[in-house]
Amino acid sequence: MKPRATIVETASLTRRFGTFTAVDAVSFTVFPGEIFGLIGSNGAGKSTLVKMLTTMLPPTSGRAVVAGYDVVRNAANVRAHIGYVPQLLSADGALTGYENLLFAARLYLVPRAEREKRIRTALERMGLAEFADRLVQGYSGGMIRRLEIAQSTIHEPPVLFMDEPTVGLDPAARHVVWAHVRQLQETLGTTIIMTTHLMDEADQMCDRIGLLHSGRLQAVGSPKELKASIGPEATLDDVFASIADTGAGSEGSYRDVRQTRRSIQSHS
Amino acid sequence: MSARPAEAFRATHERSLIAAAAGYGTQVFAVADVELRKLMHDPTEIFTRALQPAIWLLLFGQVMAHVRGLDAGGGNYLDFLVPGILAQSVLFAAIFYGISAIWERDLGILHRYMVSPAPRTALVLGKAVSAAVRGLIQSVIVYLLALLMHVDVSFNPLHLIGVAALIALGSSLFATFSLAIACIVKTRERFMGIGQVLTMPIFFASNAIYPIDIMPDWLRGISLANPLSYQVDALRALMLAGGESKFGLATDFAVLLGVTAVLVLVAARLYPRMTA
Ligand SMILES: Nc1ncnc2c1ncn2[C@@H]1O[C@H](COP(=O)(O)OP(=O)(O)O)[C@@H](O)[C@H]1O
Ligand SMILES: [Mg+2]
C-alpha cells in the first residue's frame, strides 16, 4: 500500500523562549482535507506551534513541512500556500469588508480578472454580502471572524490555520462560524488546522485532535478514539483531565498564571 | 505537495520577469492603497496636520523676520523659512508611521501583512508610497499658506515636479526610518520617547530654520550628516522663484535616494521582528 499523502508534517518541532520551552519536540502529521484540532489550555503552546507552522516564528529546533515546503528554508512558498487567521484581530476596522478583501486579493496576487468574482463569492460564502460596504468597526464579533476567514482564504489556499477561531464569541455566533468553516472545507477541500481550548468545539468540528499540554503533544487521534481510550462513557474533558493530571504543575503556579496572562495580552 | 500551486507562487516562479515585477507592484500598491482609503474614510487628519505649518509660518516666521543679524542669504526670512516648514510638516507626518506600525502590531493587523507571500520590501515600500502621497497633500496646504503670505513661489512646471519628487523622497525616507525605529523599540511608550528625542534634532540640527553658515562647527557637522538638510536645500532651489541650492541638486537627490534605499532594506529586514 502506498503511504498516505501528508500536507503538514512536523518532526521534533521545538521552540524555547530563553530557558522556557513553549513547544517541546512536537511531531505530528495532517492529511489533506482534514480538520485537525490542536487542543490545550491557555499557555499550552498552541499559538506558538501555529506561529512556527505559519512561518511567523522560527523554530529553535526540529523541522516542519507545510504544503510541501519547509517552513524555514522555503518560508515564502509556505506563505503562498496557506491562510492564517490569527488569535488577535486581523481585519482592519477602518476599512470596509470589501476593502479588506480587496487588500487580501491584491497581496496574494489573485489575478485581476478574477478579483471581483472571488471577493463576491467569499462574501457570500461567509454570509457577509449585504455588509460589504460597511466599515468593519461596526461589525459584530462573529462577522469579524467570518471576514477574517474570508480574507485569509481569498487565494483558496490548500491549508488554513485558525488560532482560537471562536474565542470571545457567544454560542450562537460560534455555531454560525462552525457552519461556515465546515462549508468552506467541503466546497474547497481546504485542510484546516485549528486551535481551541473548548472541548465541545474540538469534538464537533475536528476529524482528528492533538492534545497539547505544557508544550508536549500528549495524544493524537479522532475524538472517538481518544474518548474510547479512557472509557465507554468518557467525554473529551475526561481525556484532557487524565492527561493534564499526569503533567507537572497542572494546578497552576504563579508562573503559569503570569505566563498565561502574558500570552493572552501581548503575544498571541 | 499540494495539487494546485498558489497564484502568488506562480507569479514569482513560473511567469516572466515582467509578470514578477507587475506582481511586486500590485503588492506595493495594495499596501499604499489601504492607507489612503483609511485617510479618505477619515480625512480629519489632513486638517489637523495643516495647523502646524500654519502656526510656524504665522508666529515663528513673523517674529524671526524681525531679528536683526539673521542673514538668510540676502532674501527675506519668510522666503527662507517656507521650504524649511514644508520639509518639517512632511517630516512630522512621516515620523507618525512608526507609531502606526506599532499600533497595527498591537491590534494584530500586522500579522496579515507578515503571513502573506508579499516580499518584505514591497510592504515597506507600500508604506513609503502612502507616506509620499500624504506628504504631497501636506505640500499643497503649505503652498496655499505661502501664497497667502505673499511668498514668491515658483510655478515653473519643472520646479513643481522637482518639489513633488523631493517631498515623495523625503516622506519615504523618514517614514521608513520611523518604521525601522518602531521595529527596534516595539512599544508605543518607548517609541513616543524616542520619537521626540529624534525628531527635534533632525529638525533643529538642519538648515530648515536657519542657514548652515551661522551654525557652530559641531552643529554644522551634524547638519551635513542630516538628510533633511539636503531635502531643504533642494526645496529652496525649486520652491522659490530665483532660489538656489548650496550643495547642488544632483547631490541633494543622490543623498535622499541613497539613504531611502538603505533604510528600505534595513526596515524590510527588521519588520518581521514585530510579529515574532
Ligand atoms: N514571545 C514570547 N516570549 C516569551 N514567552 C512566550 C512568548 N510567546 C509565548 N510565550 C510563552 O509560551 C507559552 C505558550 O504560549 P502560547 O503558545 O501563546 O500558548 P496558547 O496559545 O496555548 O495559550 C506561554 O507560557 C507563554 O507565556
Ligand atoms: Mg493562544
Side-chain angles (χ1 to χ4, degrees), chain A residues 2 16 28 35 85 90 244:
Chain A
K2 245 177 70 177
R16 278 190 266 282
F28 69 102
I35 300 186
V85 182
S90 63

mmCIF file of all heavy atoms in Angstrom, chain A residues 2 16 28 35 85 90 244:
data_model
loop_
_atom_site.group_PDB
_atom_site.id
_atom_site.type_symbol
_atom_site.label_atom_id
_atom_site.label_comp_id
_atom_site.label_asym_id
_atom_site.label_seq_id
_atom_site.Cartn_x
_atom_site.Cartn_y
_atom_site.Cartn_z
ATOM 1 N N LYS A 2 0.492 2.207 -0.819
ATOM 2 C CA LYS A 2 1.242 3.467 -0.853
ATOM 3 C C LYS A 2 0.988 4.236 0.441
ATOM 4 O O LYS A 2 -0.136 4.248 0.940
ATOM 5 C CB LYS A 2 0.740 4.306 -2.042
ATOM 6 C CG LYS A 2 1.820 4.494 -3.103
ATOM 7 C CD LYS A 2 1.305 5.255 -4.296
ATOM 8 C CE LYS A 2 1.035 6.712 -3.974
ATOM 9 N NZ LYS A 2 0.609 7.478 -5.146
ATOM 10 N N ARG A 16 11.946 27.421 22.154
ATOM 11 C CA ARG A 16 12.261 27.887 23.506
ATOM 12 C C ARG A 16 12.246 29.404 23.529
ATOM 13 O O ARG A 16 12.594 30.054 22.553
ATOM 14 C CB ARG A 16 13.654 27.399 23.907
ATOM 15 C CG ARG A 16 13.657 25.963 24.424
ATOM 16 C CD ARG A 16 15.003 25.610 25.047
ATOM 17 N NE ARG A 16 15.882 24.978 24.083
ATOM 18 C CZ ARG A 16 15.802 23.700 23.696
ATOM 19 N NH1 ARG A 16 14.879 22.923 24.175
ATOM 20 N NH2 ARG A 16 16.630 23.221 22.795
ATOM 21 N N PHE A 28 3.851 15.531 14.468
ATOM 22 C CA PHE A 28 2.541 15.018 14.055
ATOM 23 C C PHE A 28 2.360 15.209 12.559
ATOM 24 O O PHE A 28 3.169 15.859 11.891
ATOM 25 C CB PHE A 28 1.398 15.658 14.845
ATOM 26 C CG PHE A 28 1.161 17.123 14.540
ATOM 27 C CD1 PHE A 28 0.110 17.514 13.712
ATOM 28 C CD2 PHE A 28 1.983 18.094 15.072
ATOM 29 C CE1 PHE A 28 -0.107 18.860 13.433
ATOM 30 C CE2 PHE A 28 1.771 19.442 14.794
ATOM 31 C CZ PHE A 28 0.724 19.823 13.981
ATOM 32 N N ILE A 35 -9.914 18.257 9.078
ATOM 33 C CA ILE A 35 -9.940 19.340 10.062
ATOM 34 C C ILE A 35 -9.218 18.802 11.285
ATOM 35 O O ILE A 35 -9.666 17.842 11.924
ATOM 36 C CB ILE A 35 -11.376 19.773 10.427
ATOM 37 C CG1 ILE A 35 -12.108 20.256 9.174
ATOM 38 C CG2 ILE A 35 -11.336 20.867 11.478
ATOM 39 C CD1 ILE A 35 -13.489 20.845 9.447
ATOM 40 N N VAL A 85 -5.623 32.651 10.178
ATOM 41 C CA VAL A 85 -6.492 33.531 10.956
ATOM 42 C C VAL A 85 -5.909 33.576 12.359
ATOM 43 O O VAL A 85 -6.057 32.637 13.127
ATOM 44 C CB VAL A 85 -7.945 33.006 11.009
ATOM 45 C CG1 VAL A 85 -8.824 33.973 11.781
ATOM 46 C CG2 VAL A 85 -8.490 32.800 9.609
ATOM 47 N N SER A 90 -7.411 40.557 12.937
ATOM 48 C CA SER A 90 -6.587 40.776 11.751
ATOM 49 C C SER A 90 -7.347 41.481 10.632
ATOM 50 O O SER A 90 -6.793 41.736 9.577
ATOM 51 C CB SER A 90 -6.021 39.444 11.247
ATOM 52 O OG SER A 90 -7.068 38.600 10.863
ATOM 53 N N ALA A 244 -3.797 16.043 31.711
ATOM 54 C CA ALA A 244 -3.318 17.182 32.474
ATOM 55 C C ALA A 244 -2.853 16.743 33.856
ATOM 56 O O ALA A 244 -1.894 17.283 34.395
ATOM 57 C CB ALA A 244 -4.415 18.235 32.581
#
